[in-house]
Amino acid sequence: MDIILRLVEEFKLKKFQVENTVGLIDEGNTIPFIARYRKEQTGELSDVVLRDLYERLTYLRNLENRQMEVIRLIEEQGNLTEELKKEILASETLQRIEDLYRPYRPKRRTRATIAKEKGLEPLANVILSQEINSGNLEDIGEPYIDEEKGVTTVEEAYQGAMDIIAEIVSDNAEFRELIRNIVFDKGILVTNAVDKETKSVYEMYYDYKEPVKAVANHRVLAINRGEKEKFLRVKVDSPDDNIIDILKSKVVVNYKAITTPYLLSSIEDGYKRLIFPSIEREIRNTLTERAEEQAIKVFGQNLKPLLMQAPVKGKVVMGFDPAFRTGCKIAVVDETGKLLDHTTVYPTEPQNKVEEAKKELTELIKKHSVDIIAIGNGTASRESEMIVADMLKDLNKKVYYTIVSEAGASVYSASKIANEEYPDINVSIRGAISIGKRLQDPLAELVKIDPKSVGVGQYQHDINQGKLDETLRGVVEDCVNNVGVDLNTASVSLLSYVSGISAGVAKNIVKHREEIGKFNDRKELLKIKRLGEATFVQCAGFLRISNGDNPLDNTGVHPESYEVALKLINKLGFSEEDIKAGKLKEIDSIVNEKNIVEFAKELQIGVPTLRDIFKELKKPGRDPREEMPKPVFRTDVLKMEDLKPDMILTGTVRNVVDFGAFVDIGVKQDGLVHISHLSNKFVKNPMDVVSVGDIVNVKILDVDIEKGRIGLSMKEA
């Protein structure tokens, strides 16, 4: 297999792009580094394409390795033919290879192997040959009676022979592929209740049928969970009679043979007992794998905008972690995220100390000049929001509040990371600190939490955890490296997502920083234990140092391009000091596309890299998240009872799923914009229309207070 050529064709890329990318990956370069600093070699492939290409490269290499392994195993048995070898090498999926290997795979003791031990294989061959058109079946079977081997009658001999034929039919790779395709195309997924009287969230599946090929991915995962929780029985109905007839037409060549009834019976047994149960499992696995891939993709696509939410800089924030019985935890953090104060108030049930809570919160707001209150969206959130909104009316200072997703805050609170950051602070207060800080810098705070716990996926605990972790880590890596990391403030958690930096090296960086006070130059990284030249090349461009010795250290310009950048600055009539002063914003009036091409030739550097250098010089310390939608800040509050059909409201997209989007409109329950109400145009994928964190206008369609459901539409809004 020519893997390079295969990737070129599948991804519709140029050969040099694939060759160079594969070479860079094999050299140990990370995807963020390749995407950002090797654009000339890759033809400017994005991090998303690079990750997809890497995943496919891994699959094809595994496929190639498995081809060689299967060929070796069959050859060792002495069963490898040139034709079989060609078929294996032509296989395009691992499934096809396994189908071809199936007849040669060492088996546990089966009915067929037992029959072979009894010496019945020659009788099976007689039946398969279909050459005897006359005579007596008893006479044909009698020579195979052997009481010592356990064959005492002619019928036992024929039964054993039929077991052998059934397994031969079952092991036929062409038959399995044919049946797999038929079942996938014509099969029906059927679900029934284990107990129809039991109430559950799976009631719509208590008597449910849908063509296998049409089952939506989210329904597959819901059905799997219902089966796992023992609410549902699941099976695949297939056109058995039709399939058996097709198998008979392919195996039976002489219906006049007197052994044909045994052959027909063997074919039917082979299908019903061996092939179909196996194919049913494969079909269910295929549906599950497809659904998991989609769920993982959705999770990754939701996670990215969540992490890339605009930071709220330069504001003192009060983190408000709502609760009932145990009280609401409060933490005030300054503009840099440093903890200033914390307390617990009890405005909610059962204590209902509303006025005491308002008084204490007002004092904290005045004492620390709080600008914004970040309220977690969990239990007692809306009750707390009403109290906060009422309190803000009586303040002399303009203070806003916003609702922040608290998903994962409790996970963080009890984590080793939180214990290291706040060893003397109660676990319950740490959640409030996290809520406040994730408003100030969502990315820096959310990287401390397992990505599965941030509340933007579907069925995340039901899907392949290894694949999910790998995908989500890739998303976090891309976000962290896209934004860049302040070397003098970044936590171990944040640093460990930087290109090339392991958790151990991240700890060493923080330890070194504590010893020296602060980094003044990127080159100081080379003094850190376990951070050699190769790691420095991978990570340096993504680490920022503001107010350091070299103004280029506060940009995304890689140290390997400093010489070119300085030549360019001088050529344009600027100095290094002008970078710090932000005077290079003016280069837009000097530089155009034609100039860039000319400069690139003169400086012997690639045009894409030079474009990036220009972009960085214009805006040192640039944060791409500043272009993202800002959070919705409120001073008032709505109750679900206030909602009426046709009202138009502004909300924040909290989660996007296959069937629509959930939007926070400022009441206790998020509303659902069904996929059919996302746009006036046909929408195939909700993510083509909205992303997590988007600020959207919605129209109320219906409100069900009893069930806590709100139907929304973005069509007319």
Side-chain angles (χ1 to χ4, degrees), residues 146-163:
D146 187 335
E147 293 190 8
E148 285 185 14
K149 291 183 177 179
V151 184
T152 58
T153 66
V154 168
E155 197 49 50
E156 283 181 8
Y158 276 116
Q159 183 56 58
M162 287 193 294
D163 288 341

Side-chain angles (χ1 to χ4, degrees), residues 353-403:
K353 297 178 181 178
V354 176
E355 294 308 316
E356 287 179 35
K358 283 183 181 178
K359 184 181 177 184
E360 191 169 353
L361 293 174
T362 300
E363 288 173 0
L364 280 174
I365 289 169
K366 289 177 179 176
K367 179 181 176 182
H368 299 292
S369 298
V370 171
D371 299 299
I372 302 166
I373 301 173
I375 304 173
N377 67 343
T379 305
S381 173
R382 297 312 177 191
E383 291 81 358
S384 301
E385 183 184 0
M386 292 170 75
I387 293 160
V388 167
D390 193 49
M391 175 190 70
L392 295 183
K393 292 175 186 173
D394 300 326
L395 288 179
N396 297 325
K397 182 188 177 192
K398 197 69 176 174
V399 177
Y400 295 91
Y401 77 84
T402 188
I403 303 299

